[in-house]
Amino acid sequence: MDRGTEDVLDAVGPRLRALRRDRGITLADLAATTGVSESTLSRLESGQRRATLELLLPLARTYNVPLDDLVGAPRTGDPRIHLKPIRRFGMTFIPLSRRPGGIQAFKMIIPNRPEPLEPTPQTHDGFEWLYVLNGRLRLVLGERDLVLPPGEAAEFDTSLPHWLGSADGEAVELLILFGVQGMRAHVRAEPHR
């Protein structure tokens, strides 16, 4: 096997681990969804097992990404990004970035509901920034219960229990940047003259 192929195969495991963690999925949940054993998934992510088509196809279906994304194949042809929505917890996440690892960008849509949902705070590794485009976002962050109108932003460590939902049952649209633990936003602005 040539060095280029070796490099591609060596990068699959870390890419799979980053994708799973970015989506907040446990190995046990992934095993239940794909039918691939937890130990095989763990060995695949750690590089102790080589990726095969038989292993990658159920992962691509579960993550709702092209197989090329799992192996890091170069894009050819059409340069446009074709966004594929991800539906989780009754909400829609539209990926706005494509690279594994690093900061991920999403547009999140919380649908309208007759009754606002009861908060169910979650935790996971990472750091999140959000900006409300439309609607009124209810952000439960630890002991704080905040309402953010359009144009407001927030940032927080996702190891703190948090929950996002509609403040009034109406639809909410927001932009989210999600980064790995310790990665924070750096804002630079020109001073006023």
Side-chain angles (χ1 to χ4, degrees):
M1 194 178 310
D2 68 21
R3 187 71 234 153
T5 303
E6 289 276 340
D7 291 344
V8 167
L9 291 174
D10 288 345
V12 171
R15 188 175 291 112
L16 290 172
R17 176 176 283 130
L19 187 58
R20 180 178 58 79
R21 287 183 174 167
D22 285 348
R23 304 238 175 141
I25 301 171
T26 66
L27 279 173
D29 291 340
L30 189 58
T33 305
T34 61
V36 178
S37 76
E38 230 178 298
S39 63
T40 298
L41 291 168
S42 177
R43 290 193 329 267
L44 186 61
E45 286 185 359
S46 68
Q48 295 172 352
R49 175 154 183 177
R50 286 283 187 209
T52 64
L53 196 54
E54 182 180 56
L55 293 172
L56 292 177
L57 283 174
L59 291 169
R61 274 192 297 273
T62 298
Y63 291 135
N64 195 27
V65 297
L67 192 57
D68 286 354
D69 286 1
L70 296 183
V71 296
R75 297 259 171 237
T76 58
D78 190 349
R80 295 174 292 176
I81 295 175
H82 300 281
L83 306 173
K84 293 186 179 172
I86 301 161
R87 288 174 179 66
R88 291 181 61 205
F89 312 114
M91 297 176 272
T92 302
F93 298 83
I94 302 168
L96 302 175
S97 59
R98 299 191 56 88
R99 66 185 182 128
I103 294 179
Q104 301 293 315
F106 298 90
K107 178 177 181 182
M108 179 178 167
I109 302 167
I110 302 170
N112 62 329
R113 298 185 183 281
E115 293 283 324
L117 293 174
E118 191 61 35
T120 53
Q122 305 289 321
T123 64
H124 51 88
D125 288 338
F127 203 83
E128 198 165 293
W129 307 267
L130 57 86
Y131 177 84
V132 181
L133 297 169
N134 292 303
R136 292 169 27 91
L137 176 72
R138 181 176 178 198
L139 170 62
V140 176
L141 188 58
E143 298 297 317
R144 300 184 74 185
D145 196 335
L146 308 165
V147 174
L148 284 69
E152 281 205 358
E155 66 176 330
F156 55 92
D157 184 329
T158 57
S159 64
L160 189 62
H162 61 283
W163 178 84
L164 306 174
S166 173
D168 52 17
E170 296 297 316
V172 182
E173 294 181 37
L174 55 148
L175 295 177
I176 292 180
L177 296 177
F178 177 79
V180 295
Q181 194 67 32
M183 189 179 287
R184 298 183 65 102
H186 299 284
V187 180
R188 292 180 180 88
E190 291 289 321
H192 242 337
R193 296 175 196 244

